[in-house]
Amino acid sequence: MAGEAEIRSYSLYSDLIASVGDQDLVEAAQLLLNGRLGLAEPRCRAVLQRDPENVNAICLLADIGLRVGALADAEKLLNRCLELQPDYHRARVLLASTFLKKQQFSSALQMLDEIDEQTAGQLDVGLLKANIYSQTGRHEAAIEIYRRLNAEKPGNPGISMSLAHALKTVGLQAEAIEAYRAALAAKPTLGDAYWSLANLKTYRFDDEMLSSMIAMVDDESTGREDFYHLCFAIGKCLEDRQEYDRAFWYYQRGNVVRRGFLKYDPDRNHNDVQAHKAVFTEDFVRSRLTPARSEREKAAPVPIFIVGLPRAGSTLVEQILASHSCVEGTQELPDVISIARRLSGKKSNEDISQYPHVLKEMSDGALAALGEEYLQRTGPHRNGAPYFIDKMPNNFMHIGLIKLMLPSAIIIDARRNPMDCCFSGYKQLFARGQNFTYSLTEIARYYRDYVDLMRHWDRVLSGGIIRVINEDLISDPETEIRRLLDRCGLDFEENCLSFYQTKRAVKTASSEQVRQPINNSGVNRWKFFEKKLDVLKSELGSIVDNYRT
């Protein structure tokens, strides 16, 4: 949830900044809170040179490691803190955060429970617990904590934002709007709150709010993060008012600034696609991928992977399938990507990846063990249905790995007209990931690479991919839903036609749209901006007219 890390950080370090006499340590904490990790680290090391057992400095260093993804190093440092000072609350909170990032939910909760026995009511403990509950689908429990913290800490915009996000996820839109507006009342310049309201897709800003947002964008003192959040919100507001040229101008400004924050290399993505095509030849697939299932796999739930690009209609497909009595919807699970990242053997971005080439050297037993690991890791998100959905769109890159480690896995490619899909992605400000969407040229290239790889999977897997075309699903839903269920080996159920009545948590940007009957309001929406999208159309090339296969 947005805002939780910021709240937790200030709660953790406010006492340290106020009471510790070591200036290097105080400056390190302040730099960390401001996101200046490269400057904070040498301050910590300067303290440790003078005092190697200073638990505050060790803990700060661990927090820096946690924020840059060096989880093993962070865990080692935090365990050292607890060796030196077993009751050190700050280290226990950060160790729970480390477990959470590693998807070790039970370990994280156990650590937090131990803290609660000693320091009941700590803000950071409550927020972490709520985050764990949210990530494991226990949204009502998370909302209960946020509401309690909101009552205890009124006027805290971060808590209001976290509460609003959780309420939105379970479909309590009116309460979510109230919480977002409470965050704005506490911090009127909070760009994320404006964007979160816009991202409901159904909220409409009045003239006063629009003028306020534009004034903040024009104010040179507005921070860059607030700036791009506001630009995307203004763009959505103006698009709703059919002021398409002005809307595009704000979308473009927001994308340019957001892109400046990100590291994304389209050449690397293209090379990854070519590497998978080179490894998964027809001969390799024929020799290693078999329909045979072990007895253990037969007893396990069948994963349904919905892949494609974001904003391609995958949430709609998920909601339809999750309305079936045998299918459980989860969320965009990171576990396949995490396994692939580990197989790469990379310690830094500059290292050469061993993945996917390493798959050619792995035994059937080792691959089956990866399948078992995936099922175990995703266990906290499931409740025992025969089928479950993993909706991480970027898993299209890893279909070969998926089929090697989980031969019975069902793969669905959710596909949408590339002009609508790419421009919808360009208008969307993602909470994390999808770094290719902030440039029309880069998103077009990513779409081309995606189609190229999916055509390869179609060929080597001999039609094993189920393709759902968004426009066909919208124009003839019953026919397409019956076909989809049949391809998945599921009996038809009427609930799948009335999917919008299904009560379940939905975290994606389409959360409110899939709670309404199918409509064609999103079809050919790009044409309102057509004169601004020559670059996109040119970069997509022939795929614009040939995207279905």
Side-chain angles (χ1 to χ4, degrees):
M1 296 294 179
E4 287 179 3
E6 178 184 358
I7 303 164
R8 187 173 69 251
S9 295
Y10 277 96
S11 174
L12 276 176
Y13 297 118
S14 57
D15 61 323
L16 187 151
I17 291 171
S19 61
V20 173
D22 191 311
Q23 189 61 29
D24 280 331
L25 201 57
V26 171
E27 289 182 5
Q30 290 173 330
L31 288 165
L32 181 142
L33 293 177
N34 291 325
R36 304 179 72 181
L37 306 183
L39 295 176
E41 182 177 353
R43 301 290 203 290
C44 293
R45 297 196 182 279
V47 175
L48 290 172
Q49 282 184 339
R50 299 192 302 268
D51 181 6
E53 295 187 351
N54 187 307
V55 291
N56 287 320
I58 297 172
C59 192
L60 278 168
L61 198 59
D63 199 350
I64 293 169
L66 183 60
R67 291 167 189 245
V68 300
L71 302 185
D73 292 339
E75 186 173 350
K76 186 182 299 183
L77 287 167
L78 292 167
N79 282 324
R80 175 59 177 157
C81 284
L82 294 175
E83 287 176 9
L84 294 169
Q85 189 173 323
D87 61 348
Y88 188 44
H89 165 71
R90 191 176 291 116
R92 288 187 177 276
V93 171
L94 289 175
L95 191 54
S97 298
T98 306
F99 290 144
L100 177 58
K101 282 183 174 280
K102 294 171 70 175
Q103 305 278 298
Q104 296 174 357
F105 301 113
S106 59
S107 297
L109 281 174
Q110 181 181 348
M111 182 65 63
L112 294 175
D113 286 340
E114 292 173 4
I115 297 169
D116 261 348
E117 293 173 5
Q118 305 165 36
T119 53
Q122 289 285 345
L123 176 62
D124 39 25
V125 174
L127 287 168
L128 270 173
K129 276 193 171 181
N131 197 350
I132 294 167
Y133 291 149
S134 177
Q135 290 199 36
T136 53
R138 299 165 64 183
H139 299 288
E140 296 299 336
I143 289 170
E144 183 179 345
I145 292 176
Y146 291 135
R147 282 177 169 154
R148 172 175 60 79
L149 294 174
N150 208 32
E152 293 174 358
K153 303 281 185 181
N156 187 310
I159 297 174
S160 295
M161 288 292 290
S162 295
L163 173 60
H165 291 330
L167 291 167
K168 170 196 169 186
T169 296
V170 299
L172 298 175
Q173 188 183 95
E175 292 182 59
I177 290 171
E178 183 179 342
Y180 285 132
R181 293 185 72 102
L184 283 174
K187 188 177 180 182
T189 59
L190 185 58
D192 192 9
Y194 286 103
W195 165 245
S196 295
L197 285 168
N199 200 32
L200 292 171
K201 308 303 182 187
T202 55
Y203 185 84
R204 297 295 180 263
F205 294 102
D206 60 26
D207 291 344
E208 183 179 353
M209 291 185 77
L210 176 59
S211 296
S212 178
M213 288 190 290
I214 291 174
M216 283 185 279
V217 164
D218 291 341
D219 187 340
E220 292 183 359
S221 68
T222 298
R224 289 199 301 161
E225 290 194 30
D226 286 325
F227 178 90
Y228 67 71
H229 279 92
L230 286 162
C231 283
F232 278 93
I234 294 168
K236 178 65 170 65
C237 175
L238 293 172
E239 182 179 355
D240 291 337
R241 296 176 178 218
Q242 301 180 8
E243 297 183 43
Y244 300 115
D245 286 353
R246 287 184 70 203
F248 184 85
W249 189 68
Y250 280 100
Y251 283 138
Q252 189 174 47
R253 292 178 76 187
N255 273 286
V256 168
V257 174
R258 176 59 178 153
R259 180 66 180 89
F261 278 81
L262 304 171
K263 292 182 179 179
Y264 172 69
D265 183 353
D267 289 335
R268 176 170 292 178
N269 183 74
H270 178 76
N271 292 338
D272 287 344
V273 167
Q274 301 310 312
H276 279 81
K277 290 171 63 178
V279 168
F280 286 92
T281 63
E282 291 186 48
D283 288 343
F284 176 66
V285 169
R286 192 181 305 113
S287 65
R288 297 299 301 273
L289 271 69
T290 67
R293 300 173 63 196
S294 67
E295 292 302 315
R296 182 175 295 178
E297 190 181 5
K298 289 177 183 177
V302 176
I304 301 174
F305 292 88
I306 302 177
V307 304
L309 261 70
R311 309 299 295 152
S314 57
T315 304
L316 174 59
V317 176
E318 177 194 37
Q319 183 77 352
I320 289 167
L321 288 173
S323 300
H324 196 283
S325 62
C326 292
V327 183
E328 184 173 9
T330 58
Q331 58 189 40
E332 295 180 356
L333 302 175
D335 302 280
V336 169
I337 293 173
S338 178
I339 290 171
R341 187 177 293 123
R342 189 179 75 228
L343 292 174
S344 76
K346 293 176 61 173
K347 302 299 182 183
S348 69
N349 284 334
E350 289 70 35
D351 293 343
I352 297 174
S353 176
Q354 300 174 40
Y355 174 80
H357 309 283
V358 67
L359 296 173
K360 298 174 73 172
E361 312 302 325
M362 295 181 69
S363 67
D364 291 344
L367 292 166
L370 290 180
E372 288 292 321
E373 177 188 344
Y374 171 83
L375 293 173
Q376 183 177 15
R377 289 173 61 138
T378 58
H381 303 282
R382 299 186 272 110
N383 292 313
Y387 296 77
F388 72 96
I389 299 169
D390 181 337
K391 203 185 75 67
M392 178 61 74
N394 313 78
N395 279 339
F396 76 85
M397 185 74 76
H398 309 293
I399 288 174
L401 169 63
I402 290 169
K403 295 300 286 184
L404 282 174
M405 66 182 187
L406 295 162
S408 64
I410 296 169
I411 311 292
I412 298 171
D413 175 23
R415 193 170 295 189
R416 182 183 180 191
N417 176 295
M419 291 297 294
D420 272 329
C421 185
C422 292
F423 187 54
S424 185
Y426 184 75
K427 296 186 297 178
Q428 182 67 39
L429 177 57
F430 293 93
R432 62 183 62 85
Q434 316 306 348
N435 293 348
F436 59 89
T437 62
Y438 300 100
S439 155
L440 291 175
T441 299
E442 289 175 350
I443 197 171
R445 186 174 179 188
Y446 190 93
Y447 194 100
R448 293 202 318 267
D449 282 333
Y450 146 72
V451 170
D452 180 30
L453 186 56
M454 290 308 304
R455 286 173 176 168
H456 178 79
W457 295 132
D458 283 339
R459 183 169 62 255
V460 300
L461 295 175
S462 303
I465 309 292
I466 303 169
R467 182 152 297 115
V468 178
I469 303 296
N470 183 253
E471 291 76 21
D472 294 345
L473 182 57
I474 289 171
S475 65
D476 190 1
E478 182 167 353
T479 297
E480 290 301 306
I481 289 170
R482 285 181 178 275
R483 183 184 72 86
L484 172 62
L485 294 174
D486 182 64
R487 288 290 307 274
C488 291
L490 295 165
D491 294 332
F492 175 76
E493 292 183 358
E494 290 287 342
N495 285 343
C496 295
L497 294 179
S498 54
F499 61 87
Y500 48 88
Q501 296 176 349
T502 299
K503 303 296 184 184
R504 56 179 292 269
V506 182
K507 289 189 172 183
T508 66
S510 303
S511 60
E512 297 310 312
Q513 293 164 307
V514 299
R515 293 181 175 122
Q516 303 170 10
I518 284 178
N519 64 78
N520 64 359
S521 62
V523 176
N524 286 327
R525 193 160 186 85
W526 70 272
K527 289 190 174 181
F528 293 121
F529 298 85
E530 186 167 9
K531 62 184 180 181
K532 303 288 187 180
L533 299 179
D534 287 344
V535 169
L536 177 62
K537 184 181 284 189
S538 175
E539 290 291 332
L540 285 168
S542 62
I543 289 177
V544 170
D545 299 316
N546 300 290
Y547 69 93
R548 291 171 171 267
T549 57

